[in-house]
Amino acid sequence: MTGDELIYLDHAATTPVDPRVLDAMLPWLRDDFGNAASRHHLPGRRAAAAVETAREQVATVLNADPREICFTSGATEANNLALLGLAGAPAYATRRHVVTVRTEHKAVLDPCHHLEGQGFELTVLGVDANGQLDLDALAAALRDDTLVVSAMHANNETGVLHPIADIGRLCRDRGVLFHTDATQSFTKEPIDVATANIDLLSLSAHKIYGPKGVGALYVRSRGPRVRLAPLIHGGGHERGLRSGTANVPGIVGLGESARLAYESMADETARLRTLRDRLRSSFVDRITGTTVIAASSPRLATVLNVTFDHVDADHLLRHQTRIAASTAAACTSATIQPSHVLGALGLTDSQIDGAIRFSLGSSSSESQIEATVQLMTHFVAGHREDPPAPQC
Ligand code: PMP
């Protein structure tokens, strides 16, 4: 790599569009402009067929039926549709209790708090220092009127994996619905909605080398059939769950990115795990005062969150131009608040201030990892000698 090349280590925030995905999308932006709901002519039917192919591609990754995939504008909308959609469904009118976890993404926590404002009771479970949920505490939280448990698969800040099959089993045994936000794990970890007893699952294209602004919600159709009230009303698209003219190029991009990422999942996961582990051990060996966050939890192969003692990570990252990484989830960076996720793991404010998430992806290479270690060693040393002025 050249001396001033940017090292992109923020794949958990977003990924570049794979050129093969772009190639698959372009015809649907240029010549094949049909509306997928226009069944009376060929352009419409061609668009509809392309949408159905993408539905199959997404369903294949989850071992779902294509009819169980509802396309949305991304995972934020999918999470909202799952939680608010269940809450608004007449079939569940008597179930007014929702369970979630402190480390969830805001796109789950905020709809849950919204429901609390509507009169639902909310239980927010804590996690231990490794980001793990206590399954006994989860079991104890379930009630006869519990509507849903929403617990993510992989955490976006720490990469910590929740045991979704165990959570699914527990929920199924107690007759409670289970939603999981799998935005970070989709095509990176095996997911089988059937064996894991998942009722609803959210995902997004831009985390898997697809375009921004498109995602999907998996909605179980049998055993049990999940009922949702739509949030967006109109022409009855997506089986009445999500009205609005289908984003054909985006949906084609999601399908193709899911297909490609799933095809290479085993090899790419192994490659990135090796690189991630090298980054971790090099940091620990070469930079004193480095602590790996949630080190003993099962974690995504692509994420490493470390905290450097006596470092203001925000200041450090902003004052260099070589490494693109992040301090807290990018989605909440607009409002600078200490990470609620790291706080839930019990990190102190100064540990949170020193934390950086490095998330690897397709562009990551051995030479980039070595360069990152060298650069970080240099930055951290310089930063510690020259700490930023205290802020009032
Ligand atoms: N959930 C998780 C775990 C995420 O990481 C993200 C993206 N940061 C979202 C939801 C929101 O996804 P989208 O950008 O597709 O709305």
Side-chain angles (χ1 to χ4, degrees):
M1 59 179 296
T2 60
D4 51 4
E5 189 187 312
L6 177 81
I7 304 171
Y8 187 77
L9 286 170
D10 208 10
H11 293 85
T14 198
T15 55
V17 174
D18 185 314
R20 295 168 294 178
V21 172
L22 184 62
D23 284 345
M25 292 172 65
L26 280 175
W28 304 98
L29 287 161
R30 283 201 183 112
D31 308 320
D32 274 319
F33 57 87
N35 184 329
S38 304
R39 305 297 167 102
H40 295 301
H41 50 67
L42 196 58
R45 285 199 295 273
R46 281 175 56 81
V51 167
E52 293 320 306
T53 300
R55 215 184 289 284
E56 281 166 26
Q57 289 168 323
V58 172
T60 300
V61 179
L62 300 171
N63 189 26
D65 186 300
R67 286 168 299 188
E68 298 177 309
I69 304 300
C70 171
F71 292 116
T72 65
S73 64
T76 300
E77 186 190 330
N79 287 340
N80 275 266
L81 177 57
L83 295 163
L84 306 185
L86 286 177
Y92 309 123
T94 56
R95 293 161 65 173
R96 307 281 293 172
H97 177 231
V98 170
V99 178
T100 190
V101 188
R102 267 182 77 188
T103 47
E104 291 297 308
H105 193 275
K106 294 281 182 194
V108 163
L109 291 176
D110 281 4
C112 285
H113 286 299
H114 175 78
L115 289 177
E116 204 178 16
Q118 309 270 305
F120 280 78
E121 274 188 70
L122 179 64
T123 300
V124 184
L125 297 167
V127 294
D128 65 17
N130 273 304
Q132 286 297 337
L133 191 59
D134 177 350
L135 292 181
D136 292 334
L138 173 62
L142 301 184
R143 314 188 321 206
D144 290 345
D145 67 339
T146 305
L147 173 59
V148 61
V149 169
S150 183
M152 71 203 317
H153 189 196
N155 186 273
N156 47 301
E157 292 191 40
T158 59
V160 167
L161 290 163
H162 279 151
I164 46 171
D166 295 341
I167 299 172
R169 177 80 266 152
L170 198 64
C171 290
R172 181 58 48 86
D173 288 348
R174 298 286 297 272
V176 171
L177 296 167
F178 175 36
H179 166 247
T180 190
D181 177 351
T183 307
Q184 293 290 342
S185 60
F186 179 67
T187 70
K188 299 189 187 99
E189 286 287 321
I191 303 174
D192 182 331
V193 290
T195 56
N197 290 303
I198 294 166
D199 297 308
L200 295 146
L201 178 146
S202 307
L203 60 97
S204 183
H206 74 99
K207 311 286 187 182
I208 61 163
Y209 309 94
K212 294 170 182 56
V214 58
L217 180 68
Y218 157 78
V219 186
R220 175 177 288 282
S221 63
R222 273 185 296 142
R225 174 169 181 193
V226 175
R227 309 284 182 164
L228 293 179
L231 305 184
I232 301 177
H233 302 267
H237 307 75
E238 297 297 292
R239 299 176 174 263
L241 269 186
R242 204 271 186 178
S243 288
T245 300
N247 168 8
V248 179
I251 290 170
V252 167
L254 167 58
E256 185 65 1
S257 58
R259 185 184 74 77
L260 289 167
Y262 190 51
E263 209 173 68
S264 61
M265 181 166 85
D267 292 346
E268 188 62 354
T269 304
R271 185 182 82 85
L272 294 175
R273 190 184 302 281
T274 304
L275 292 180
R276 192 272 315 266
D277 289 348
R278 187 168 310 162
L279 187 65
R280 184 201 57 203
S281 52
S282 304
F283 279 159
V284 171
D285 292 348
R286 286 154 65 176
I287 306 179
T288 53
T290 300
T291 308
V292 178
I293 296 170
S296 54
S297 267
R299 281 173 296 138
L300 275 184
T302 47
V303 175
L304 176 68
N305 199 327
V306 288
T307 174
F308 301 104
D309 288 352
H310 311 300
V311 163
D312 177 343
D314 191 57
H315 187 269
L316 186 154
L317 286 181
R318 280 175 201 270
H319 288 83
Q320 56 82 42
T321 53
R322 293 294 313 283
I323 301 172
S326 65
T327 52
C331 315
T332 53
S333 291
T335 53
I336 306 265
Q337 289 167 342
S339 155
H340 73 279
V341 173
L342 302 187
L345 270 63
L347 272 75
T348 63
D349 281 354
S350 72
Q351 285 177 311
I352 297 175
D353 285 348
I356 300 183
R357 178 190 68 185
F358 300 89
S359 47
L360 288 70
S362 61
S363 59
S364 304
S365 63
E366 275 183 38
S367 62
Q368 284 195 346
I369 294 304
E370 181 49 35
T372 302
V373 175
Q374 284 180 14
L375 287 164
M376 284 302 300
T377 308
H378 173 71
F379 293 151
V380 169
H383 194 82
R384 282 182 179 148
E385 281 160 19
D386 181 20
Q391 289 174 350
C392 313

